[in-house]
Amino acid sequence: MSASWIAAAPLVTSRLRLEPLRVEHAREAVSVFDDARLHTWTGGAPSKLAELEARYVRQSAGRSPDGTQGWLNWMLRRASDGQLVGTVQATLHRPATDHLEAALAWVIGVDHQGNGYAREGVLTMAHWLRTQGVDELVAYIHPGHHASIAVARALGLTASDVVVDGEVRWSGA
């Protein structure tokens, strides 16, 4: 099933600019995300520049190749000095014709963690998604990742008994 999906729009908070993902972000992002500690809970390893550029080409298309998912990605940039600090994303799908769900994810560079950027970016993205007709927000979080659990709680999400690849499904309207 192919669907038309909403496109990421620029968003602003008092401290952050959320910029819709562009391939050009890869050159700057590669150093922000070049830390194995970011993969503690998700697995994998830091990407090389060419890998990141290829991923950003795919993601910036705004939808999966088969059209069954919408892909919204933003880079988080600190307003005070323009420093790239992380990313937030939402994967949209329609489990039913009258229901739009967004699976949320976020990554903050190790040097920028502990400043509330994930919470601020995700709350801003979630508010915008709701204004775009998203009915349900979900996130899949490793049960030991306390910082991400705190972000999910700030969103008003609650943990379920559903576990996928070792991650707990959190959800809320």
Side-chain angles (χ1 to χ4, degrees), residues 8-12 16-22 24-25 28 72-79 82-88:
L11 305 172
V12 178
L16 297 172
R17 294 192 321 258
L18 285 72
E19 300 175 354
L21 178 69
R22 297 182 324 272
E24 296 77 26
H25 282 120
E28 186 178 6
L72 302 172
N73 293 271
W74 289 267
M75 301 306 280
L76 302 179
R77 190 174 299 281
R78 199 166 42 213
Q83 172 65 50
L84 187 67
V85 298
T87 182
V88 294

Side-chain angles (χ1 to χ4, degrees), residues 105-125:
W106 50 90
V107 177
I108 303 298
V110 171
D111 292 343
H112 308 288
Q113 292 177 1
N115 295 302
Y117 296 138
R119 177 187 171 122
E120 188 172 332
V122 170
L123 286 172
T124 300
M125 172 181 62

Side-chain angles (χ1 to χ4, degrees), residues 34-141:
D34 187 22
D35 193 311
R37 292 174 289 180
L38 291 175
H39 300 274
T40 301
W41 304 111
T42 59
S47 298
K48 303 290 185 221
L49 178 59
E51 296 166 330
L52 205 54
E53 286 174 336
R55 180 180 318 136
Y56 288 3
V57 165
R58 288 189 307 277
Q59 291 175 334
S60 63
R63 66 183 202 99
S64 61
D66 65 2
T68 60
Q69 296 179 334
W71 293 345
L72 302 172
N73 293 271
W74 289 267
M75 301 306 280
L76 302 179
R77 190 174 299 281
R78 199 166 42 213
S80 63
D81 61 4
Q83 172 65 50
L84 187 67
V85 298
T87 182
V88 294
Q89 66 184 52
T91 301
L92 305 176
H93 80 282
R94 294 189 180 282
T97 55
D98 61 344
H99 187 79
L100 182 58
E101 180 181 287
L104 310 181
W106 50 90
V107 177
I108 303 298
V110 171
D111 292 343
H112 308 288
Q113 292 177 1
N115 295 302
Y117 296 138
R119 177 187 171 122
E120 188 172 332
V122 170
L123 286 172
T124 300
M125 172 181 62
H127 173 76
W128 182 83
L129 289 167
R130 289 182 179 115
T131 70
Q132 302 301 308
V134 170
D135 301 299
E136 185 175 12
L137 303 175
V138 302
Y140 293 87
I141 302 171

